Amino acid sequence: MPATNRTKKAYKSDSQVLRDNPRTNSSGFELKDYYTPDDVKGSYKSKLGAPGEYPYTRGIHPDMYRGRLWTMRMFSGFGTPEDTNGRLKLLLSHGETGLSVAFDMPTLYGLDASSDRAHGEVGKCGVNVSSLKDMEVIFKDIPLNKVSTSMTINAPANVLTAMYAVVGEKGGTPKKNLAGTVQADILKEYIAQKEWMYPPEAHMRIIRDMMVYCTNNMPKWNYISISGYHIREAGASAVQELAFTLADGFEYVKLGIENGLDVDSFAPRLSFFFNSSTNFFEEIAKFRAARRIWAKEMKETYGAKSERSMKLRFHSQTSGYSLTWQQPLNNIVRTSVEAMAAILGGTQSLHTNSYDEAWALPSEQAVEVALRTQQVIAHETGIPDVVDPLGGSYYLESLTDKMEEEAYKYFKTINAMGGVVSAIKNGYLQKEIAATAYAHQRKVENGELKVVGVNAFSKENEQPINVLKIDFNAERIQKKRLREVKLKRNEGNVQRNLDRLRDVYSRDENSMESIIQAVKAYATLQEISDVGREVFGGWKEPTII
Amino acid sequence: MEGTNNNMKRRIRILVAKPALDGHDRGVLVLAKAFRDAGMEVLYAGLLPTPESVARIAVDEDVDVVALSLHNSAHLSAFPAVKKWLKKLGADDIQIVGGGIIPPADRKKLEKLGITGNFGPGTPLDQVIEHVRKVAKKKWVKDQ
């Protein structure tokens, strides 16, 4: 029985390794054998409170999923505006009211389909938008007064917001009735996802313009979704994700207050977007700590009076990084555990990844399994039946406290540097993340961390799975449409509007109205973005390695 | 193996780059550190270089290997574009190694163009380093 012997031997050495190594999590906290009441400090009322009560550790609603399940918001989209319009209408016909649109890389960087740099990338990771015309096609025959639209767009979020406002107006929905969200979290772009156009100060000023304009004119438009997801994917630990994301959040709160907005007039519109990865309890503790820190800081430091300003609402997505190329069906299990962590952590909405995403864009079958995963948890497991069912666990409460404590250490370091923008410009945040990513990879290489199918229980020959194959005509179609737009529009009008925007940008006035006018004249995304590039210049990040 | 021929004593010069609109830099930053720890001289092209500028840096800095990484599905246009520019600049001997989210069918297409490796997620760093050493040696033999 040589095979059995080998297995036995492997088990033996594994248990040896387990005994010898101290147990830690991604945040580097050393874990005890077990936890007792002595590990939990503070009173129930001050640390936890009932669900729906300050400091909201146990959840922002008294009844949580007993009242209403989380929103299963699956993010999707690629190809031409026509493709996306078809997809959105299909979702609406299935009773969805929350749309979520992904854009391609050229759009995310403020470039038109006709740009040299866009070649090979048009319509690949999302839909392409080069001018207002494309947005008109995407939302054709969709009742914007009845839906809410989430747009994953950051650097050019002001231009996309303007386009959405104009499409709404042309279709008879005034901007004050438009509901939706743009991500627009530029700080995490510099820290992690690295999709920017201008230097940090210029982008912060543009966010200020959106905050002020939307607070006054678009009351249902959530102009920022503060994102830890990308920070985590870039290599941060759970506590780094927590600390850096909340630090970004406080930076936006300060920006609003410094520009004359009453904190309670805008803070309720700030929401968060977190990662949910495989270390189950660590993730749940992270979500609970996030709510407690936010509530406390909003009340005590930023003077919020409204409970809505203190309640941290968040969307979550399972970890893309945790998905393995090897034995891809195992990813369904990882995603299930991560989804449970997000739900036990009290998420408001959730996107579950597809098992084939380390191979390619997800196939329809894989997307369906991902959605079914949420439905099984929602309807078969009993997990949503009781609010914060893990509350009171000695381990979880102790871990939640530790998360909070360690996050405050990071806040102190960042504040000592002069805030998040300074900590980006000196490369501190980026270096911290890169160092964690490298240390993690080293642990996987030397076997200290096991990844099933990768460095443990691996197989010699991986069988290929069926992946999505896409026929890409998007680039040709988008270039053609752009040529037509440019032929039909009034050039003088376009130039006048771009000139006005240049003045407004140079004079530090609120730019939103000028952008809306430029969009209306069919100035393209890149033409509008180029005005900013002229006035503000570009950005080169400090040396990270 | 070590020290037995002149080539082995030479330090490998490697440029790591993401030659497209792709800011997902976790992989390249980890690789850059790993190449450095493996004794190579590492240059990083920074974010958002064009294929042309990657090729120009490679030539100006006289590197042996260019390691390209993309997660945005642009590998079939961007990797060959770097190759084309290297050829145009008379530096076709510089080896190109690829990696990222690359479907199996595309891997074959890239191999045909002489872009090797094309490693997917979860590839052990040692395997990538070994491959880089192999292609660098190939270049040195060619150059002689």
Side-chain angles (χ1 to χ4, degrees):
Chain A
M1 297 276 188
T4 322
N5 283 344
R6 262 210 305 278
T7 316
K8 227 176 174 179
K9 205 174 154 207
Y11 267 119
K12 217 184 228 167
S13 66
D14 264 3
S15 59
Q16 197 62 43
V17 171
L18 289 178
R19 262 200 302 278
D20 294 349
N21 277 341
R23 300 294 178 87
T24 56
N25 54 23
S26 88
S27 303
F29 305 162
E30 211 163 296
L31 306 177
K32 299 181 179 183
D33 287 2
Y34 59 92
Y35 288 76
T36 71
D38 294 339
D39 295 303
V40 185
K41 296 173 203 82
S43 75
Y44 176 77
K45 194 149 177 53
S46 69
K47 298 292 282 294
L48 301 174
E53 280 176 16
Y54 182 88
Y56 312 104
T57 313
R58 309 199 65 186
I60 58 168
H61 303 301
D63 56 355
M64 287 302 289
Y65 310 129
R66 290 171 69 106
R68 201 176 70 94
L69 285 170
W70 63 91
T71 305
M72 299 174 195
R73 193 191 291 275
M74 303 294 279
F75 167 66
S76 64
F78 54 81
T80 62
E82 283 82 356
D83 296 334
T84 300
N85 178 250
R87 176 77 59 93
L88 296 181
K89 280 186 189 157
L90 183 77
L91 288 169
L92 288 171
S93 73
H94 289 182
E96 286 246 7
T97 50
L99 307 174
S100 181
V101 183
F103 297 96
D104 68 359
M105 301 307 286
T107 308
L108 295 173
Y109 281 105
L111 299 169
D112 290 344
S114 57
S115 159
D116 283 347
R117 297 238 51 189
H119 175 56
E121 311 207 25
V122 176
K124 283 214 170 155
C125 302
V127 63
N128 176 263
V129 172
S130 298
S131 79
L132 175 64
K133 186 77 204 160
D134 297 318
M135 287 288 272
E136 290 170 347
V137 176
I138 292 172
F139 294 104
K140 189 161 187 276
D141 300 327
I142 291 174
L144 297 189
N145 56 341
K146 295 200 180 102
V147 298
S148 86
T149 304
S150 167
M151 297 198 282
T152 302
I153 189 85
N154 289 283
N158 55 341
V159 184
L160 273 289
T161 294
M163 287 179 177
Y164 196 78
V166 175
V167 172
E169 194 177 81
K170 284 187 166 185
T173 307
K175 15 180 209 286
K176 68 174 170 29
N177 294 337
L178 291 173
T181 305
V182 280
Q183 198 164 71
D185 173 12
I186 203 69
L187 292 171
K188 68 94 175 51
E189 293 298 335
Y190 294 110
I191 297 171
Q193 191 169 237
K194 321 242 167 141
E195 291 161 8
W196 56 67
M197 299 193 290
Y198 321 131
E201 290 84 356
H203 271 301
M204 287 300 272
R205 168 250 159 103
I206 287 170
I207 290 174
R208 174 205 69 185
D209 292 355
M210 279 205 293
M211 283 178 99
V212 172
Y213 184 87
C214 296
T215 300
N216 297 326
N217 301 287
M218 297 175 74
K220 294 181 179 174
W221 195 248
N222 299 317
Y223 40 72
I224 201 156
S225 166
I226 306 149
S227 308
Y229 188 82
H230 320 77
I231 292 174
R232 188 65 173 283
E233 289 289 297
S237 67
V239 71
Q240 287 173 328
E241 178 195 357
L242 171 69
F244 299 170
T245 310
L246 289 182
D248 289 350
F250 299 136
E251 212 66 50
Y252 297 122
V253 171
K254 278 186 260 178
L255 184 71
I257 294 172
E258 281 163 12
N259 284 285
L261 296 175
D262 171 17
V263 66
D264 288 323
S265 75
F266 71 91
R269 281 206 253 171
L270 303 176
S271 66
F272 286 80
F273 171 25
F274 288 114
N275 199 302
S276 192
S277 195
T278 42
N279 194 318
F280 190 66
F281 291 102
E282 187 182 20
E283 295 304 305
I284 300 170
K286 177 188 75 184
F287 299 128
R288 299 169 91 247
R291 273 193 298 272
R292 187 156 71 205
I293 296 170
W294 185 254
K296 243 165 52 182
E297 290 299 310
M298 290 307 289
K299 185 176 181 177
E300 290 169 13
T301 308
Y302 300 102
K305 302 268 184 298
S306 159
E307 287 203 343
R308 291 177 58 227
S309 304
M310 300 173 208
K311 290 180 181 175
L312 180 147
R313 294 176 294 125
F314 71 102
H315 171 67
S316 46
Q317 179 170 340
T318 57
S319 163
Y321 183 76
S322 74
L323 303 179
T324 65
W325 179 86
Q326 294 86 348
Q327 304 177 28
L329 292 178
N330 297 347
N331 292 328
I332 299 173
V333 182
R334 294 190 178 96
T335 299
S336 308
V337 172
E338 294 165 357
M340 284 196 292
I343 293 157
L344 288 163
T347 196
Q348 274 59 61
S349 59
L350 176 62
H351 168 103
T352 31
N353 289 329
S354 301
Y355 63 80
D356 57 357
E357 290 187 57
W359 287 66
L361 283 172
S363 65
E364 265 180 40
Q365 187 210 26
V367 172
E368 190 174 326
V369 172
L371 179 60
R372 296 289 177 253
T373 301
Q374 294 198 42
Q375 291 164 337
V376 168
I377 297 170
H379 302 291
E380 298 181 17
T381 62
I383 288 174
D385 290 344
V386 172
V387 180
D388 189 32
L390 296 179
S393 147
Y394 307 130
Y395 173 38
L396 185 67
E397 295 304 349
S398 158
L399 203 51
T400 305
D401 290 353
K402 179 80 175 159
M403 279 281 169
E404 182 177 4
E405 200 183 303
E406 294 295 317
Y408 270 94
K409 285 185 192 160
Y410 271 118
F411 297 156
K412 213 175 149 190
T413 307
I414 294 167
N415 284 337
M417 287 174 182
V420 174
V421 172
S422 309
I424 286 167
K425 290 171 103 173
N426 68 19
Y428 168 74
L429 296 166
Q430 301 94 310
K431 282 180 198 160
E432 278 287 301
I433 294 171
T436 308
Y438 191 50
H440 172 87
Q441 187 60 32
R442 279 287 170 213
K443 282 185 187 168
V444 172
E445 302 277 321
N446 68 25
E448 203 180 313
L449 281 176
K450 295 249 183 294
V451 185
V452 172
V454 175
N455 68 352
F457 318 107
S458 53
K459 289 194 296 193
E460 275 300 311
N461 289 310
E462 289 287 342
Q463 291 304 309
I465 52 172
N466 288 325
V467 296
L468 186 71
K469 294 210 173 43
I470 308 161
D471 174 25
F472 281 114
N473 279 318
E475 188 163 332
R476 190 177 48 79
I477 293 167
Q478 287 302 92
K479 280 176 150 173
K480 181 165 174 271
R481 187 178 355 249
L482 192 57
R483 273 196 304 274
E484 287 165 4
V485 164
K486 286 188 175 175
L487 277 176
K488 274 191 205 154
R489 67 186 189 178
N490 177 333
E491 277 307 314
N493 192 24
V494 171
Q495 282 316 317
R496 262 194 309 283
N497 277 291
L498 292 175
D499 289 344
R500 189 180 314 142
L501 177 62
R502 192 173 294 111
D503 283 352
V504 166
Y505 269 162
S506 311
R507 286 202 305 263
D508 200 29
E509 287 169 15
N510 195 304
S511 55
M512 278 309 290
E513 195 55 54
S514 305
I515 291 187
I516 290 175
Q517 294 310 321
V519 159
K520 255 189 206 167
Y522 289 92
T524 68
L525 173 65
Q526 184 167 347
E527 288 167 337
I528 296 171
S529 304
D530 281 348
V531 171
R533 290 184 180 100
E534 282 167 40
V535 176
F536 306 125
W539 166 252
K540 210 164 173 55
E541 77 169 341
T543 307
I544 307 302
I545 50 158
Chain B
M1 254 182 83
E2 269 167 53
T4 50
N5 80 39
N6 286 337
N7 282 345
M8 288 306 293
K9 288 181 195 152
R10 232 170 113 176
R11 282 184 87 187
I12 295 170
R13 282 174 70 77
I14 184 166
L15 172 66
V16 292
K18 297 176 69 68
L21 301 176
D22 181 10
H24 300 91
D25 61 0
R26 177 179 187 157
V28 279
L29 295 180
V30 165
L31 278 171
K33 287 183 188 227
F35 291 146
R36 191 179 291 163
D37 285 357
M40 301 180 198
E41 287 179 54
V42 181
L43 293 104
Y44 176 43
L47 286 166
L48 312 179
T50 60
E52 179 184 350
S53 67
V54 170
R56 288 192 186 280
I57 297 170
V59 171
D60 290 349
E61 296 286 342
D62 193 24
V63 302
D64 303 307
V65 180
V66 180
L68 302 175
S69 158
L70 285 178
H71 292 75
N72 66 345
S73 308
H75 47 269
L76 279 188
S77 51
F79 291 2
V82 175
K83 180 93 187 162
K84 195 188 76 189
W85 272 103
L86 283 177
K87 200 165 186 179
K88 212 181 256 184
L89 298 170
D92 206 22
D93 58 330
I94 296 178
Q95 303 289 305
I96 303 184
V97 173
I101 308 283
I102 303 175
D106 294 359
R107 208 165 292 173
K108 282 184 204 137
K109 288 181 200 164
L110 292 170
E111 293 278 345
K112 255 186 211 155
L113 295 169
I115 297 158
T116 61
N118 303 309
F119 301 107
T123 309
L125 292 174
D126 286 345
Q127 194 184 328
V128 181
I129 290 165
E130 219 29 67
H131 181 78
V132 167
R133 287 195 174 127
K134 198 179 81 195
V135 297
K137 249 192 273 177
K138 205 164 109 188
K139 173 182 179 273
W140 294 339
V141 170
K142 253 193 203 170
D143 289 352
Q144 275 169 0

